[in-house]
Amino acid sequence: MDFTFTEEQQAAAEAAKAVFSGVSPDSVPSPALTAGAVADDFDRPLWRKLAAADLLSLLTAPEHGGAGLDPIALCLVLREAAKVLARVPLLETSAAALTLQKYAGTELKAEVLPQIGRGELVVTAASNGRTGHDPAELSVSARQEEGGWVLDGVQTAVPWAPTANHVLVPARTDDGPSVLALVPRPHDGVTLLDQVFTSGERCAELHLDSVRLPARHVVTHPAAWEWLRDLLATGTCALALGLGQAVLTMTSQYTGKREQFGHPIATFQAVAMQAADRYIDLRAMEATLWQAAWRLGTAPDTDVPGNTDRGGEGGLLPRAADVAVAKIWASEGVRRVVQTAQHLHGGFGADTDYALHRYHAWAKQLELSLGPAAAHEEALGDLLAASHALD
């Protein structure tokens, strides 16, 4: 087995490192000192740099101006973004672009994918449902009417929605599978209510009141929403991994300089053992992330929850099982990493002039985003039970 990344994937990671090298995690007000959002918009200059480096067109096909790479390449870039807490909708826009490329009609792909790659169009995704606990596709209804579609419902905590150009919204139909609707913002019947994430970034509650869309803006492929949700969850794992790696590096540097009783505290057995445990967490997060990302790039379209295909070429369980395992490790692992970092930093870790508290706030958001560990443990249990029933 060959676990090395391809030359193209490594090149994407190196390009990301170069773009993110000048980003400071302290470039906006602290969420601990700000009552509302830390900023009105995401980092537009950084977004333009990502576009100039062809990192926004990384996954789109060459005919749409992209490099045609896979989810592994995206996760490598996301890992670098999280190390510096890059304030850009890179995950959401990239996941939406790849989903549209796989499942949207020719006209819609030609309309939006080149603009996304050039950084001219920002697309986010609504994946939290009405409450953050119920399935997102059940929170909005979609019906066909007069050659188009009409949407009604509510989605909460939609990331980057106040400044995005479009929102990709899952919706249920009365007599068929879920669909994905590309909703422009602003648009008749679309209302946004301001919300703020734990990280201090703006999000919004999205209200859809008889929103009418042309047929080409609605993706009806039965696998589209499951694919998008799995890609968003896997990308969140990549962000958690990058954040955790940055935090462990900060902790290593601090404990190597901080002295007690004439010795660096990193030489104390209790400190070294805690740091070693968190390193093991990160290795587990990394292994399960790449497994999930690989399955996203290799599993067939029929590999979605609810069917009887037990993974096709990818394994005995559906792709969603690998995604669930990765998200369990990411949620639990990133929480343990930042908690240990705060403990080993002592009072210095709570200093708002030091970046660690920002990483802690972002880690809490990533832990809960797309469902906490408990939700994915339940989903994994259901998949295992279904697999056992087929034996």
Side-chain angles (χ1 to χ4, degrees), residues 186-204:
H187 190 74
D188 290 342
V190 175
T191 304
L192 297 180
L193 302 181
D194 283 342
Q195 294 178 313
V196 180
F197 280 131
T198 303
S199 63
E201 297 298 335
R202 292 180 72 192
C203 58

Side-chain angles (χ1 to χ4, degrees), residues 3-19:
F3 292 100
T4 58
F5 299 114
T6 66
E7 290 184 6
E8 293 81 2
Q9 291 165 348
Q10 294 179 37
E14 291 302 319
K17 289 179 182 178
V19 172

Side-chain angles (χ1 to χ4, degrees), residues 290-377:
W290 300 132
Q291 170 71 9
W294 174 74
R295 286 297 301 278
L296 277 166
T298 58
D301 284 345
T302 54
D303 185 17
V304 296
N307 67 36
T308 58
D309 180 359
R310 306 209 313 174
E313 300 176 358
L316 292 178
L317 287 173
R319 178 189 68 225
D322 291 293
V323 176
V325 171
K327 189 57 169 68
I328 292 167
W329 273 105
S331 293
E332 295 285 356
V334 76
R335 175 176 52 81
R336 288 193 291 258
V337 167
V338 294
Q339 286 179 344
T340 297
Q342 291 282 9
H343 174 66
L344 295 182
H345 275 82
F348 192 56
D351 187 347
T352 55
D353 291 329
Y354 186 60
L356 182 58
H357 76 287
R358 290 180 181 273
Y359 285 92
H360 203 153
W362 278 63
K364 178 54 65 176
Q365 178 188 332
L366 293 173
E367 176 191 348
L368 302 178
S369 180
L370 277 298
H376 289 274
E377 288 168 351

Side-chain angles (χ1 to χ4, degrees), residues 21-369:
S21 61
V23 178
S24 170
D26 292 316
S27 59
V28 295
S30 167
L33 304 176
T34 308
V38 296
D40 292 331
D41 198 0
F42 61 85
D43 192 338
R44 294 280 179 175
L46 178 58
W47 192 249
R48 290 191 288 270
K49 290 180 181 178
L50 289 169
D54 295 327
L55 292 174
L56 299 184
S57 59
L58 198 65
L59 307 184
T60 53
E63 59 263 31
H64 299 299
L69 298 186
D70 59 8
I72 292 178
L74 172 62
C75 289
L76 286 167
V77 174
L78 291 172
R79 183 180 65 176
E80 299 305 319
K83 289 179 180 179
V84 296
L85 304 184
R87 301 180 49 259
V88 287
L90 180 59
L91 168 58
E92 293 79 11
T93 297
S94 299
L98 185 54
T99 303
L100 293 174
Q101 177 177 280
K102 285 177 66 68
Y103 301 112
T106 302
E107 185 179 359
L108 182 60
K109 288 190 287 188
E111 177 184 340
V112 302
L113 292 181
Q115 293 185 72
I116 291 175
R118 295 192 297 267
E120 299 167 359
L121 199 67
V122 177
V123 182
T124 188
S127 57
N128 287 305
R130 187 183 184 92
T131 65
H133 300 286
D134 53 332
E137 68 273 18
L138 301 182
S139 300
V140 175
S141 64
R143 67 182 187 275
Q144 289 182 288
E145 189 175 294
E146 298 177 356
W149 289 80
V150 180
L151 275 66
D152 290 278
V154 177
Q155 292 276 358
T156 193
V158 181
W160 315 106
T163 49
N165 301 108
H166 290 77
V167 182
L168 199 55
V169 181
R172 71 183 187 277
T173 59
D174 292 334
D175 54 357
S178 300
V179 298
L180 280 176
L182 188 63
V183 179
R185 191 207 62 82
H187 190 74
D188 290 342
V190 175
T191 304
L192 297 180
L193 302 181
D194 283 342
Q195 294 178 313
V196 180
F197 280 131
T198 303
S199 63
E201 297 298 335
R202 292 180 72 192
C203 58
E205 184 175 88
L206 174 70
H207 289 252
L208 304 172
D209 184 12
S210 297
V211 174
R212 296 181 177 275
L213 297 176
R216 71 176 188 277
H217 275 223
V218 178
V219 180
T220 58
H221 194 290
W225 164 234
E226 303 291 353
W227 163 267
L228 175 60
R229 183 173 59 189
D230 286 349
L231 183 55
L232 289 170
T234 304
T236 301
C237 296
L239 292 172
L241 175 63
L243 186 150
Q245 290 175 334
V247 167
L248 189 61
T249 298
M250 293 171 63
T251 304
S252 175
Q253 293 172 347
Y254 176 79
T255 57
K257 295 184 295 185
R258 175 75 167 89
E259 292 189 359
Q260 285 186 351
F261 311 111
H263 299 279
I265 62 173
T267 62
F268 299 165
Q269 186 179 37
V271 173
M273 290 179 65
Q274 290 182 70
D277 286 342
R278 300 295 77 82
Y279 175 77
I280 293 172
D281 278 334
L282 290 175
R283 291 304 302 270
M285 291 166 64
E286 188 170 18
T288 54
L289 163 66
W290 300 132
Q291 170 71 9
W294 174 74
R295 286 297 301 278
L296 277 166
T298 58
D301 284 345
T302 54
D303 185 17
V304 296
N307 67 36
T308 58
D309 180 359
R310 306 209 313 174
E313 300 176 358
L316 292 178
L317 287 173
R319 178 189 68 225
D322 291 293
V323 176
V325 171
K327 189 57 169 68
I328 292 167
W329 273 105
S331 293
E332 295 285 356
V334 76
R335 175 176 52 81
R336 288 193 291 258
V337 167
V338 294
Q339 286 179 344
T340 297
Q342 291 282 9
H343 174 66
L344 295 182
H345 275 82
F348 192 56
D351 187 347
T352 55
D353 291 329
Y354 186 60
L356 182 58
H357 76 287
R358 290 180 181 273
Y359 285 92
H360 203 153
W362 278 63
K364 178 54 65 176
Q365 178 188 332
L366 293 173
E367 176 191 348
L368 302 178
S369 180

